[in-house]
């Protein structure tokens, strides 16, 4: 379909936000234009991202929404003094970036992945985050196992795999009787053995039906991680994620080089500049950024291309609503070195209802080919789940 001149000449008139009631601070962002077309995005894991967006929107009001890189570069460059290198500032701009991809796609009548160079795949693989398995065992099992016991993990894995997922992830830093002091980041031999038993129980239960990763939430010292990696090496571990504190890239590089188990990290690497050292020094085996947190769709594609130059695959961290999840799916489709996209809402009953179109089926997301993100907010459902004091967009 031909794109009319008035759509190509659109100018941004406003940027608005609203927050949903979620443990992950889902902040929806909508960019408006003078031609009556709007785009919707999401910023996630950024408390007060809405206030940041409201402060900075004047930088892009009056400008073309089609020049996405230019708009976000202006925001990053001109607002560095209020946090445009990492943290909530980058997260807020990520939400604007996603909204601009939705908007530009609508204006040009192309899917968002086309704006990123096109797609390598029609669907993206999804891995289901199972937390520590405890809440899943309570919901799906017979309650006969202790909440964080190996069999509770294994039962949770069985339940999720039976739903069609061929990739899952569990928390490996769950509470236990052996970790004596979480603040010193040290695990003794008994605590390491307990975690190895969790890994054994899950991987043996699912066998070759699913890949299994384990999230460590930046919990331990390099020495502990080396001993833990050695203990779980006999099992089929897809990756160990975020094993050491995120502020020390030297430590991350060291444990990756010193261990044979696949190491993943990247959720706290903001923008391509923040990811550069980890990638160039091959400090991860799997690079793991978050689209609506670490810089947006275009910035994540830049990170993925850098990782590709070092033959490092990319998996996408994701705790977003369907908006951020579909945005991540477009990125995953456009990235040749993509592995899988996280789904972190199995226990959120209304998650799928927030948009009108189906999103997830049998452990896969079919990447929309409609304009922009290719999905539509169900505003009635959104209103039912707004955070206290929030209102829907105008």
């Amino acid at each position: 379909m031909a794109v009319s001149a008035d759509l190509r000449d659109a100018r941004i008139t406003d940027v608005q936000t609203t927050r949903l009631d979620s443990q992950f601070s889902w902040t929806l962002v909508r960019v408006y234009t003078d031609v009556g077309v709007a785009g919707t995005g999401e910023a996630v894991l950024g408390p007060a991202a809405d206030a940041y967006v409201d402060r900075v929107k004047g930088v892009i009001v009056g400008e073309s929404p089609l020049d996405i890189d230019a708009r976000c570069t202006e925001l990053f460059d001109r607002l560095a003094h209020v946090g445009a290198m990492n943290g909530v500032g980058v997260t807020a701009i990520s939400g604007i970036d996603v909204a601009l991809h939705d908007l530009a796609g609508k204006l040009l009548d192309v899917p968002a992945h086309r704006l990123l160079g096109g797609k390598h795949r029609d669907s993206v693989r999804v891995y289901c985050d199972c937390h520590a398995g405890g809440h899943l065992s309570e919901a799906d099992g017979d309650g006969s196992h202790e909440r964080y016991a190996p069999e509770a993990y294994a039962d949770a894995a069985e339940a999720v795999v039976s739903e069609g997922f061929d990739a899952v992830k569990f928390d490996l830093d769950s509470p236990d009787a052996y970790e004596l002091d979480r603040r010193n980041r040290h695990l003794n031999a008994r605590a390491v053995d307990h975690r190895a038993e969790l890994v054994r129980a899950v991987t043996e239960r699912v066998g070759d039906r699913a890949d299994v990763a384990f999230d460590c939430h930046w919990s331990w010292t390099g020495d502990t991680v080396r001993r833990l990696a050695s203990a779980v090496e006999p099992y089929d571990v897809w990756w160990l994620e975020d094993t050491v504190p995120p502020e020390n890239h030297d430590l991350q590089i060291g444990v990756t080089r010193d261990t044979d188990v696949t190491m993943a990290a990247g959720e706290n690497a903001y923008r391509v500049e923040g990811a550069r050292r980890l990638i160039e020094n091959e400090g991860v085996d799997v690079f793991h950024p978050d689209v609506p947190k670490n810089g947006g769709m275009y910035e994540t594609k830049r990170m993925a291309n850098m990782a590709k130059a070092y033959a490092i695959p990319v998996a996408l961290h994701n705790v977003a609503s369907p908006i951020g999840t579909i945005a991540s799916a477009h990125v995953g489709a456009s990235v040749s070195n993509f592995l899988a996209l996280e789904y972190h809402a199995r226990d959120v009953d209304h998650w799928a209802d927030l948009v009108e179109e189906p999103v997830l089926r049998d452990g896969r997301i079919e990447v929309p080919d409609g304009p922009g993100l290719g999905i539509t907010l169900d505003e009635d459902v959104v209103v039912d789940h707004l955070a206290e004091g929030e209102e829907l967009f105008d």
Side-chain angles (χ1 to χ4, degrees), residues 89 186 190 238 243 258 274 357:
H186 174 79
R190 293 184 299 278
W238 199 15
T243 57
D258 292 344
E357 299 82 4

Side-chain angles (χ1 to χ4, degrees), residues 10-280:
R11 290 293 181 268
I12 297 169
T13 57
D14 196 12
V15 185
Q16 297 183 12
T17 63
T18 194
R19 292 183 299 111
L20 299 184
D21 187 10
S22 163
Q23 60 178 314
F24 294 118
S25 300
W26 294 342
T27 299
L28 302 184
V29 180
R30 183 162 287 175
V31 178
Y32 294 84
T33 65
D34 57 2
V35 296
V37 181
T40 304
E42 179 177 2
V44 75
L45 290 175
D50 53 339
Y52 191 98
V53 171
D54 188 61
R55 172 170 179 165
V56 306
K57 66 183 181 181
V59 172
I60 62 172
V61 167
E63 302 294 335
S64 169
L66 298 180
D67 301 319
I68 301 173
D69 184 28
R71 299 292 79 81
C72 291
T73 296
E74 289 160 1
L75 290 168
F76 287 134
D77 289 352
R78 293 179 56 184
L79 298 161
H81 64 292
V82 287
M85 274 307 301
N86 51 50
V88 65
V90 173
T91 298
I93 297 172
S94 301
I96 294 173
D97 166 277
V98 174
L100 287 174
H101 277 86
D102 186 39
L103 173 54
K106 291 175 180 176
L107 292 172
L108 298 174
D109 195 32
V110 297
H113 60 74
R114 193 69 55 80
L115 303 173
L116 297 170
K119 60 182 178 178
H120 292 270
R121 52 192 64 84
D122 294 326
S123 66
V124 297
R125 188 186 189 194
V126 174
Y127 74 85
C128 183
D129 191 301
C130 304
H131 307 277
H135 76 290
L136 294 183
S137 66
E138 291 172 357
D140 303 316
D142 59 11
S144 62
H145 305 304
E146 182 186 348
R147 181 175 175 86
Y148 297 116
E151 284 302 305
Y153 272 64
D155 287 351
E158 185 72 50
V160 173
V161 171
S162 70
E163 295 172 2
F165 290 96
D166 63 2
V168 296
K169 184 173 78 176
F170 284 87
D171 294 346
L172 203 55
D173 60 324
S174 57
D176 65 71
Y178 309 106
E179 187 174 20
L180 301 179
D181 186 345
R182 293 181 70 89
R183 289 169 295 184
N184 63 31
R185 301 184 180 275
H186 174 79
L187 295 181
N188 61 25
R190 293 184 299 278
V192 169
D193 288 345
H194 170 70
R195 283 161 178 77
E197 182 61 20
L198 295 176
V199 171
R200 183 203 62 78
V202 174
T203 55
E204 290 187 358
R205 177 72 69 87
V206 303
D208 62 2
R209 292 178 295 158
D211 289 319
V212 186
F214 294 90
D215 195 344
C216 305
H217 295 105
W218 316 282
S219 294
W220 300 308
T221 65
D223 167 71
T224 287
V225 172
R226 292 179 184 94
R227 290 185 290 111
L228 176 64
S230 178
V232 304
E233 189 177 334
Y235 310 115
D236 292 329
V237 175
W238 199 15
W239 69 65
L240 293 180
E241 178 182 326
D242 292 333
T243 57
V244 295
E247 63 270 18
N248 190 334
H249 284 185
D250 288 332
L251 182 57
Q252 178 65 60
I253 293 165
V255 296
T256 298
R257 291 177 176 173
D258 292 344
T259 56
D260 291 328
V261 176
T262 300
M263 293 288 171
E267 175 191 344
N268 278 317
Y270 289 88
R271 301 180 59 192
V272 71
E273 290 82 1
R276 179 181 61 82
R277 191 160 183 272
L278 275 180
I279 294 171
E280 289 182 344

Side-chain angles (χ1 to χ4, degrees), residues 69 72 76 90 94-95 97-98 101 116 266-267 269-273 275 279 287-308 314-317 324 327-338 340-341:
D69 184 28
C72 291
F76 287 134
V90 173
S94 301
D97 166 277
V98 174
H101 277 86
L116 297 170
E267 175 191 344
Y270 289 88
R271 301 180 59 192
V272 71
E273 290 82 1
I279 294 171
F287 183 58
H288 198 235
D290 188 306
V291 171
K293 174 187 175 183
N294 294 147
M297 297 172 70
Y298 181 71
E299 197 74 9
T300 303
K301 178 64 183 285
R302 292 180 66 208
M303 297 183 204
N305 283 344
M306 178 178 284
K308 179 180 177 180
V314 170
L316 294 176
H317 181 270
S328 298
H330 279 279
V331 174
S334 77
V335 171
S336 65
N337 50 330
F338 169 79
L341 166 64

